[in-house]
Amino acid sequence: MIFQFTYETVLGDVTFVEEDGALLVISMKSDHGGKVAETPLIKDAFQQLSEYLIGERKEFDLPIRMRGTEFQKRVWRALLDIPYGETRSYKQIAEAIGNPKGVRAVGMANNRNQLLIVIPCHRVIGASGSLVGYGEGLEMKEFLLRLEKSLP
């Protein structure tokens, strides 16, 4: 069964979606078709996100389920390897997954990431260091990167 619950955060409303003991979605969009219920996992995920947003957490310890193509999953796993407070370019991610010409495809995979912040696609930037392409808007990407840079 799929469960979802929405919380108000400093980012705005964030919805968490769980299925069979794993998080499927963390999103700014509110309706994901699940039964509205605050499960223990969803409550824990919200707690960990809240700790992240006030600088008390740098890594998440949550069971997640990535839904996507094998290529997308490779990209998302590479994103999980980007340390807190650091960034990588789309090109660096493409090279890390063994597809150096797949820069645009890496960008599309980032766009399909359904686990906001936990899979840190906000840490991926343009080759010139510019902030480009974030599904929740560049202001939020800048906010998250600033948050991570400002804390030890």
Side-chain angles (χ1 to χ4, degrees):
M1 178 160 233
I2 297 177
F3 300 97
Q4 71 174 30
F5 201 80
T6 302
Y7 298 91
E8 187 175 319
T9 74
V10 296
L11 303 173
D13 288 348
V14 177
T15 299
F16 297 79
V17 180
E18 171 192 349
E19 180 180 47
D20 299 328
L23 282 175
L24 297 177
V25 177
I26 300 172
S27 170
M28 305 298 287
K29 297 167 185 69
S30 61
D31 187 15
H32 295 276
K35 178 181 178 186
V36 176
E38 185 182 35
T39 68
L41 174 57
I42 289 174
K43 192 172 187 176
D44 184 33
F46 170 65
Q47 179 64 37
Q48 289 190 35
L49 179 66
S50 298
E51 291 166 359
Y52 166 86
L53 290 171
I54 60 172
E56 292 181 357
R57 176 175 291 276
K58 294 181 180 177
E59 294 181 10
F60 293 91
D61 182 22
L62 297 164
I64 61 173
R65 183 170 302 129
M66 299 178 200
R67 287 193 169 166
T69 67
E70 285 309 310
F71 178 83
Q72 290 168 335
K73 290 176 187 178
R74 284 197 341 253
V75 170
W76 299 333
R77 283 190 289 272
L79 301 183
L80 290 170
D81 291 336
I82 304 172
Y84 180 93
E86 293 185 22
T87 58
R88 299 291 184 271
S89 70
Y90 291 94
K91 181 178 172 97
Q92 288 172 308
I93 298 300
E95 290 169 346
I97 64 167
N99 190 345
K101 294 184 180 184
V103 175
R104 291 178 67 102
V106 166
M108 290 304 296
N110 272 11
N111 184 264
R112 302 267 191 255
N113 174 22
Q114 295 185 49
L115 288 159
L116 181 71
I117 300 171
V118 170
I119 296 179
C121 59
H122 62 278
R123 295 180 187 153
V124 182
I125 59 174
S128 67
S130 60
L131 300 185
V132 295
Y134 191 62
E136 301 302 334
L138 292 181
E139 282 183 20
M140 184 179 298
K141 184 173 192 166
E142 184 176 21
F143 171 84
L144 296 170
L145 291 174
R146 232 183 12 253
L147 171 74
E148 291 185 10
K149 295 270 188 213
S150 69
L151 300 168

